Amino acid sequence: MRDHSHDRTMGRVQDRGTSALAVSIFADRSYLRAEMEEDAVAAGLRIAQTADLGNLLGADPGPALGDLVLVDCPVIDGAELAALARLDLRAAKSGSQLVVSTSIGSLDDVFGCLDQCEAQILVTPSRADRVIALGRTLARAGNRVRELSEEDRLALLRLTEQVGQIAQKLEALSSGSGAAAPGQGSAFRFDGADDDARLDEGTDRLVRAARPPLPDPRLVRKIIRQRQLRARFFEGDLFADPAWDMLLDLTAARAEHVRVSVTSLCIASGVPPTTALRWIGQMTDAGLLQRVDDETDRRRAFITLTDKAADAMARYFAELGASAATLV
């Protein structure tokens, strides 16, 4: 049966011209494809194609990609993972922006095969989550704005501004005072671990103090349990501090020589997975976290502290000393 709603959508896009950024949509759920189309058209974008996931499974090079590529794969099998990995590589080479929505059960698999194009990953997202992701994607394509018509450029700038305001409010709610002020870029100030350097009085050479070891992981786990205990008596959002909760979890894991999956880290953050993934992205950009691929299975990847972040956590706990046992 022909999808007449899709024809109407395409007609509205063609009426507005062909200079807008093109969007490719791949999803098996027809109602979701319709929602994605509606939101993209409302943003002044052009629908290049809509199809089910099976269209990604064909022989290379596969379907042509739009400037933006939206993929929904809540449950994913081996063939779809391979197709997603190929799509990730193609998007990186072509400059397309990729947004992939999935479920918490498939998150590790999806995360493991997306390592080339800085894709945004959404976990069981609401429609608002998808709109925010669309706005972030448009903001990344800022250098393409000059290629648009005046009408499309104004529509794009309005949407980006509105979505940016929404995103700032959401992140401010989840981070408290940790959100970035306008114009500051990253929400984190992380200058490295060079504050402990000093001049040797005898030689005037720069000497670095010995770095303290990581804290006892049992102590860190105790602090984590204390923090989680608050949710039994108060609303969890009241104390949401995903960046610190993830740093604590990764510090304990590093001391225990345990690898942490992205799903496990999202759970440790105490916020919805899609929000946690945004924080992981920001903290990676800030030099706090890094992605480490599994050497025995290239389809898997883990998150760990960078060496500088681990040093900073070690110095923090060393400064606290015995009082760290009472820290919440």
Side-chain angles (χ1 to χ4, degrees):
M1 176 179 288
R2 186 172 182 84
D3 189 343
H4 297 289
S5 62
H6 176 261
D7 292 342
R8 289 193 296 271
T9 297
M10 291 297 294
R12 291 197 299 271
V13 174
Q14 291 168 356
D15 289 343
R16 298 187 61 169
T18 59
S19 61
L21 296 177
V23 182
S24 298
I25 298 173
F26 299 98
D28 286 337
R29 294 179 284 184
S30 59
Y31 78 89
L32 187 56
R33 291 199 301 267
E35 284 186 358
M36 290 178 174
E37 287 184 50
E38 185 177 343
D39 293 336
V41 171
L45 306 179
R46 176 171 59 88
I47 305 299
Q49 64 185 118
T50 62
D52 58 34
L53 290 177
N55 282 261
L56 295 176
L57 303 180
D60 287 338
L65 301 182
D67 302 294
L68 316 180
V69 183
L70 310 180
V71 181
D72 178 64
C73 49
V75 179
I76 193 163
D77 59 23
E80 290 172 345
L81 280 173
L84 197 58
R86 292 195 298 269
L87 179 63
D88 176 52
L89 183 60
R90 289 185 61 204
K93 290 180 177 179
S94 67
S96 298
Q97 300 292 319
L98 181 60
V99 178
V100 179
S101 56
T102 188
S103 63
I104 191 68
S106 298
L107 175 57
D108 283 331
D109 290 333
V110 170
F111 180 80
C113 68
L114 297 177
D115 63 348
Q116 298 295 318
C117 72
E118 298 183 358
Q120 292 188 72
I121 303 177
L122 312 179
V123 181
T124 317
S126 66
R127 191 169 184 178
D129 289 329
R130 288 194 176 90
V131 170
I132 291 174
L134 180 61
R136 289 174 178 272
T137 303
L138 294 175
R140 288 181 181 179
N143 61 330
R144 299 288 305 278
V145 173
R146 287 172 293 183
E147 302 175 14
L148 306 180
S149 67
E150 184 65 22
E151 178 185 359
D152 290 329
R153 182 166 61 250
L154 290 175
L156 171 59
L157 293 176
R158 281 197 299 270
L159 176 69
T160 302
E161 180 181 0
Q162 293 170 357
V163 171
Q165 292 172 352
I166 294 172
Q168 285 181 358
K169 291 179 180 179
L170 290 175
E171 289 176 358
L173 289 174
S174 66
S175 66
S177 59
Q184 286 185 340
S186 173
F188 305 95
R189 184 187 68 83
F190 184 60
D191 301 325
D194 296 329
D195 294 338
D196 53 359
R198 61 177 178 79
L199 287 174
D200 181 75
E201 295 181 0
T203 63
D204 288 335
R205 291 184 303 176
L206 191 64
V207 178
R208 299 187 187 280
R211 298 284 173 81
L214 287 169
D216 186 332
R218 293 171 296 182
L219 170 61
V220 183
R221 295 296 183 194
K222 178 181 179 181
I223 294 171
I224 292 172
R225 287 194 297 272
Q226 289 175 334
R227 292 172 62 81
Q228 293 173 342
L229 183 62
R230 298 175 302 189
R232 289 179 53 186
F233 306 98
F234 302 96
E235 289 291 335
D237 292 346
L238 185 62
F239 298 104
D241 192 358
W244 186 238
D245 287 327
M246 287 190 283
L247 287 174
L248 287 172
D249 187 72
L250 289 172
T251 297
R254 186 175 178 119
E256 296 163 341
H257 304 288
V258 174
R259 297 183 297 186
V260 178
S261 69
V262 67
T263 298
S264 176
L265 191 58
C266 287
I267 294 172
S269 73
V271 294
T274 295
T275 303
L277 288 168
R278 287 200 295 266
W279 278 101
I280 290 172
Q282 290 186 48
M283 295 170 74
T284 299
D285 292 341
L288 291 164
L289 309 183
Q290 62 185 357
R291 175 195 177 109
V292 177
D293 291 327
D294 189 340
E295 295 179 355
T296 62
D297 185 351
R298 302 300 296 177
R299 296 171 300 177
R300 292 178 58 84
F302 303 93
I303 303 294
T304 184
L305 296 176
T306 61
D307 289 340
K308 287 186 176 181
D311 288 338
M313 293 297 289
R315 292 197 316 276
Y316 170 77
F317 276 95
E319 186 74 18
L320 289 174
S323 63
T326 62
L327 180 66
V328 178

